Amino acid sequence: ALSVTVQPRCKIIRFILIQNRAGKTRLAKWYMQFDDDEKQKLIEEVHAVVTVRDAKHTNFVEFRNFKIIYRRYAGLYFCICVDVTDNNLAYLEAIHNFVEVLNEYFHNVCELDLVFNFYKVYTVVDEMFLAGEIRETSQTKVLKQLLMLQSLE
Amino acid sequence: MPAVSKGDGMRGLAVFISDIRNCKSKEAEIKRINKELANIRSKFKGDKALDGYSKKKYVCKLLFIFLLGHDIDFGHMEAVNLLSSNKYTEKQIGYLFISVLVNSNSELIRLINNAIKNDLSSRNPTFMCLALHCIANVGSREMAEAFAGEIPRILVAGDTMDSVKQSAALCLLRLYKTSPDLVLMGEWTSRVVHLLNDQHMGVVTAAISLITCLSQKNPDEFKTCVSLAVSRLSRIVSSASTDLQDYTYYFVPAPWLSCKLLRLLQCYPPPEDGAVKGRLVECLETILNKAQEPPKSKKVQHSNAKNAILFEAISLIIHYDSEPNLLVRACNQLGQFLQHRETNLRYLALESMCTLASSEFSHEAVKTHIETVINALKTERDVSVRQRAADLLYAMCDRSNAKQIVAEMLSYLETADYSIREEMVLKVAILAEKYAVDYSWYVDTILNLIRIAGDYVSEEVWYRVIQIVINRDDVQGYAAKTVFEALQAPACHENMVKVGGYILGEFGNLIAGDPRSSPLVQFNLLHSKFHLCSVPTRALLLSAYIKFINLFPETKSTIQEVLRSDSQIRNSDVELQQRAVEYLKLSSIASTDVLATVLEEMPPFPERESSILAKLKKKKGPGAVSVNELEEGKREGGELNGGGERGGDSSAIAASNAVRDTNKYGKHCFKISISALQLKCWGSGWHWTQECMALLENVDPNPENFVCAGVIQTKAQQVGSLLRLEPNAQAQMYRLTVRSSKDTVSKRLCELLAEQF
């Protein structure tokens, strides 16, 4: 007999964004193909959606046919765009894990660190996330690797 | 300016960034950028070959400028050159540039692939990872062609370093998603599955994403991962807090890995092996138990990590839908979260309970929380949480609580966000029809919908109420009376006028005896709204008027005068004008008998699936609506006809008559029999909507044959089915062939269809 498989939804991180309250993007990491116009539009929409939310809202927002898991750290919004069926709390803590690594690596990270060391932030991201999936979660391991890379010429 | 870390200083870059930040205006910024671009261009074209450090610095500056939002049309060559440096910092910038500014120049691609190839075979794990990350970030077809064969080898080789394995696994995943035809897993399958047993948790974390994706496309080939996943999960869940040190997060052991393992298990049915299943059930019970234990830390990170695992475990329990004990426990746990002080948890609990509501094991348990959910609907401050509460009420609705739930949803609708009103209207309409025992309640509900949210009441909804009133003698009088009263409201929604016009046109005679709703009163009421209505509504009202002339001869002259007026017979709208003219003529020249025949009461509508459900599905997208299958199992086909069995049989008879005339009426008849079949399927506890089953054109080479394809949703799974009907006119026979992925489904379909013929 023939079997008809129902295509499962594509579970992948679509993008990771770090934006400040004014809307300036401090990091944009894309895991799916979008052309430049689409990227710009997405960035603006995400900013519009998260900045109107406050403590009474959840950390999850339905966004187009995906969802955004986000958290605000001082003046920066860290947003991960995932599939509607993805695990909200797991990604919320993935964000926090990432922020703790940045904090440790840059010694009490501030927005300027992300600006002046933008090319290093990509390295941190790639240690922890790759191909739209979580790659490494141990802060110890990630920091050890980053420090090793830091020492290279 | 903050201290830049040692090593790769790049002072020039820091100065440039500072300059940009100090620019007071957009113009100043552009000026500074152009200056820099000119500088870099000249350096790149210059006679002296640039040293690696300088090249790196300039390429990095270009990247910064691009990320600011300005187009960069040079620098690719220099970036590619950096790839062949043996210095990490230079390579890193080179790879970063080409990953962000992807260029499709074939010469560059060739050079890039060459550099990647060298780095992959360099045996330097840092360089290998840089190369792998580049492939994972870019994932182009050319890269897939060049490297799809090499990467699995790297992944499973014994001497590959752990970090490289992690990157290789995810890199392979990316290539598989974008170019699945180039990634042949065949010989690597068992070794890849075996990565679940790796002692490096990071490797397992990465590998599991790859395995999950591959097993969704090739479940049989990867099914050995199930028992390995269960063992792994079991070890993590029962580990002491001192194990897994590097992977313990706020006192929770390997939370992300646990979630991924639970997610992988959701790709498969429950394990067949008793021991494996037992171990897994134990694991799930432990997770549920832990949720009840006092927390090891007050930090929200601890509870989020713990609950992430809990929610994923509950997803798995729901997916299996086979352990009543676990389902009920899950429901109780979620019930506690419904009143948690954290909004996130209340939201997730409502969402998760929605799926639990459709399981027969936990449906009753879910219903016990109805008051809490209703309260959430009324008091939650985040609209998305209120929406989840509304979804849950819809999902938990059954005969026992339908009246209460519909009332609450109507009340919520009065103040609901505009963005969700249409969906709410559809849901209320569906529930009202489904659980109506007393159809006057149904009519009230729909009229209330129109009153409260008229703009969002789509055609499907008000067509449906009319269909039902037409088909049910017992509610016609009530409908006429209620609609008459509703129309009294000074500001009355146009949809109400449509429904009212139609119903009074058909059944106004049932209330005409009462002087307060005499024929002229009815006509004047309708006509008072006439000028406020759009063209389609006016057209409907004109039809109602001619019906009135037939029903109430005493109104003839009044109505004719209206029809005769210039605003009707000279109306600029063609449809209105035509109707006015024709109805006027009809009323003048037709004898009472002829008029009575032409304007006879509408016959009952044929059985067919409510288009409302289809519309809701389309609105919500995949995986949304889960209509309570328990009730469907108990429902008889043919309720529309207001008399259980008889209605159902007559449709079956009509269907079989129609099918016997297949050659005369062709496809149409087959469709009718499919609809009748579908009602019967509901009776078997299956769910099969019109949009799931389709008659296919041009599939069978023989044009006399009919071919259908569809998906039947049973409680546990979706089963694809194919049908072929081959009529043989000469022999007065047909052959019906049914194929599906489950024997039992094929058999049952055959039985059901055989009853039709």
Side-chain angles (χ1 to χ4, degrees), chain B residues 650-699:
Chain B
S650 68
S651 76
I653 291 167
S656 57
N657 281 337
V659 173
R660 233 177 279 131
D661 294 323
T662 295
N663 287 343
K664 229 206 289 179
Y665 300 112
K667 281 181 248 174
H668 183 58
C669 305
F670 195 38
K671 269 194 167 152
I672 293 177
S673 61
I674 292 296
S675 313
L677 171 62
Q678 158 206 297
L679 287 169
K680 289 253 172 175
C681 277
W682 271 5
S684 308
W686 290 353
H687 184 57
W688 179 3
T689 61
Q690 207 158 30
E691 54 172 4
C692 284
M693 194 69 176
L695 201 55
L696 304 172
E697 310 277 338
N698 303 321
V699 169

Side-chain angles (χ1 to χ4, degrees), chain B residues 18 61 94 140 148 213 220 234 330 340 344 374 405 452 505 579 613:
Chain B
S18 281
K61 279 183 177 177
S140 66
C213 180
D220 284 329
S234 187
H340 199 277
N344 285 345
I374 287 175
I405 286 180
I452 295 169
R579 289 195 188 201
L613 247 180

Side-chain angles (χ1 to χ4, degrees), chain A residues 1 9 13 24 26 28 32 35 37-38 58 73 78 85 89 94 99 101 130 135 147 151:
Chain A
R9 290 176 67 92
I13 299 174
K24 281 222 152 88
R26 296 311 181 198
M32 273 188 102
D35 57 28
D37 295 327
E38 287 176 308
T58 58
Y73 292 87
F78 286 70
T85 54
L89 294 176
V99 171
V101 166
L130 194 66
R135 177 184 175 277
L147 285 168
S151 69

Side-chain angles (χ1 to χ4, degrees), chain B residues 606-642:
Chain B
E607 305 282 344
R608 66 165 186 263
E609 126 123 351
S610 164
S611 53
I612 302 181
L613 247 180
K615 180 151 184 158
L616 182 63
K617 274 197 172 39
K618 219 189 304 180
K619 239 191 133 14
K620 285 279 268 184
V625 179
S626 107
V627 184
N628 193 323
E629 277 159 20
L630 279 180
E631 281 306 309
E632 288 180 311
K634 296 182 197 141
R635 180 190 159 112
E636 301 285 327
E639 263 190 49
L640 265 187
N641 278 349

Side-chain angles (χ1 to χ4, degrees), chain A residues 11 58 62 90 93 100 120, chain B residues 5 249-250 263 304 388:
Chain A
K11 291 198 212 290
T58 58
E62 270 157 46
E93 290 311 313
E100 286 194 349
K120 291 188 182 180
Chain B
S5 30
Y249 176 80
Y250 286 88
R263 175 58 74 75
N304 280 346
R388 291 288 86 76

Side-chain angles (χ1 to χ4, degrees), chain A residues 1-13 24-26 28-33 36 39-40 53-62 67 70-71 73 83-98 100 105-106 110-113 115-123 126-141 145-146 148-153, chain B residues 1-10 13-15 17-18 21 60 63-64 66-67 71 87-90 92-93 96 100 126 129 132-133 136-138 163-164 166-167 170-171 173-174 177 200 202-203 205-206 209 216-217 246-247 249-250 256 259-260 263 300-301 303-305 307-309 311-312 343-345 347-348 351 381-385 388 622 711 718-722 739-742:
Chain A
L2 297 157
S3 78
V4 175
T5 38
V6 179
Q7 278 296 5
R9 290 176 67 92
C10 171
K11 291 198 212 290
I12 180 180
I13 299 174
K24 281 222 152 88
T25 306
R26 296 311 181 198
K29 183 79 194 184
W30 307 92
Y31 295 105
M32 273 188 102
Q33 290 286 40
D36 288 337
K39 284 181 184 174
Q40 191 49 40
R53 295 170 73 84
D54 61 30
K56 71 171 187 268
H57 290 104
T58 58
N59 291 85
F60 334 120
V61 200
E62 270 157 46
K67 71 185 169 194
Y70 74 98
R71 211 194 200 162
Y73 292 87
D83 187 78
V84 292
T85 54
D86 268 317
N87 187 320
N88 294 16
L89 294 176
Y91 278 107
L92 187 56
E93 290 311 313
I95 290 177
H96 191 79
N97 204 26
F98 173 54
E100 286 194 349
Y105 182 57
F106 288 111
C110 66
E111 191 175 341
L112 282 184
D113 290 320
V115 174
F116 281 88
N117 297 291
F118 71 95
Y119 53 99
K120 291 188 182 180
V121 179
Y122 282 96
T123 306
D126 280 356
E127 277 301 310
M128 302 184 78
F129 304 94
L130 194 66
E133 301 281 346
I134 291 174
R135 177 184 175 277
E136 177 57 76
T137 59
S138 159
Q139 290 182 18
T140 316
K141 292 219 157 89
Q145 176 72 354
L146 291 173
M148 185 281 287
L149 292 173
Q150 183 83 323
S151 69
L152 297 176
E153 220 194 329
Chain B
M1 192 171 84
V4 174
S5 30
K6 310 177 265 275
D8 59 5
M10 286 207 282
L13 172 69
V15 170
I17 295 177
S18 281
R21 289 178 59 79
C60 202
L63 182 56
F64 181 79
F66 176 77
L67 291 172
D71 278 323
K87 298 202 167 104
Y88 165 76
T89 56
E90 290 169 21
Q92 193 250 328
I93 298 294
L96 182 58
V100 173
T126 309
C129 278
L132 288 166
H133 290 189
N137 287 326
V138 176
S163 63
V164 178
Q166 279 177 275
S167 301
L170 292 173
C171 180
L173 174 62
R174 174 73 202 264
K177 282 186 175 166
H200 187 288
V203 171
T205 304
S209 298
Q216 279 171 341
K217 305 280 171 77
D246 286 345
Y247 288 87
Y249 176 80
Y250 286 88
W256 293 281
C259 288
K260 285 193 181 205
R263 175 58 74 75
V300 73
Q301 282 75 33
S303 75
N304 280 346
N307 288 326
I309 300 173
F311 278 104
E312 202 66 61
T343 314
N344 285 345
L345 287 178
Y347 174 94
L348 292 171
E351 191 182 53
R381 291 154 71 204
D382 182 335
V383 62
S384 63
V385 184
R388 291 288 86 76
V711 178
Q718 291 167 299
V719 181
S721 305
L722 300 174
R739 283 188 100 177
S740 69
S741 45
K742 276 201 91 87

